[in-house]
Amino acid sequence: MPQAVVGSSPTRRTPGPDPPAGSLTHYCIVRSDLPRGVLAAQLVHAAAESSPGNLPVGTRAVVLAAVDEAHLVDIERRLLRLGIHHRAIREPDPPWSGALMAVGLAPVVHRTTVRTVTARLRLLQ
């Protein structure tokens, strides 16, 4: 089971020791302006759709917060421009009607590959 990362430090996202060399980090970014239940559902969708499954023990799960949909759209554009593999989650049903809700990044070994996008994001509170 992935190790969840929690906390509020904008400078060090992964409390404790660095993960062992070769371990994976699975990032998901969700809008912090969503109602708590909707946020949880969209986060689960983003994690499931961006994971290849069968993640090894020791995989870290990091949940980051976007301020709102416009912020998340900007993040998605940067991911596309940098060629970083991800899954964008849009809610088709009203009242959201196609709004971008969350983004899951494919688990990565080298966190530096996504740091250009994630460095200024805070952990979800």
Side-chain angles (χ1 to χ4, degrees):
M1 175 158 218
Q3 174 187 352
V5 176
V6 295
S8 61
S9 170
T11 57
R12 181 161 169 82
R13 253 179 215 65
T14 52
D18 284 335
S23 64
L24 295 174
T25 303
H26 188 185
Y27 290 94
C28 288
I29 307 165
V30 67
R31 291 171 43 184
S32 61
D33 66 329
L34 297 173
R36 198 163 195 70
V38 173
L39 184 149
Q42 300 305 325
L43 177 58
V44 170
H45 282 293
E49 291 193 25
S50 61
S51 171
N54 296 322
L55 293 174
V57 172
T59 299
R60 287 190 165 209
V62 179
V63 181
L64 302 173
V67 175
D68 54 21
E69 185 181 17
H71 187 203
L72 194 56
V73 166
D74 180 59
I75 292 166
E76 182 188 22
R77 286 183 184 139
R78 290 171 40 208
L79 292 168
L80 288 167
R81 188 171 55 248
L82 294 168
I84 297 173
H85 182 70
H86 66 282
R87 293 296 304 255
I89 307 303
R90 289 180 168 75
E91 177 56 51
D93 299 323
W96 309 103
S97 304
L100 182 60
M101 308 295 270
V103 173
L105 282 63
V108 295
V109 172
H110 302 289
R111 293 180 294 166
T112 54
T113 60
V114 298
R115 199 164 272 153
T116 57
V117 176
T118 63
R120 293 188 176 199
L121 299 174
R122 292 188 177 262
L123 290 170
L124 179 66
Q125 297 294 305

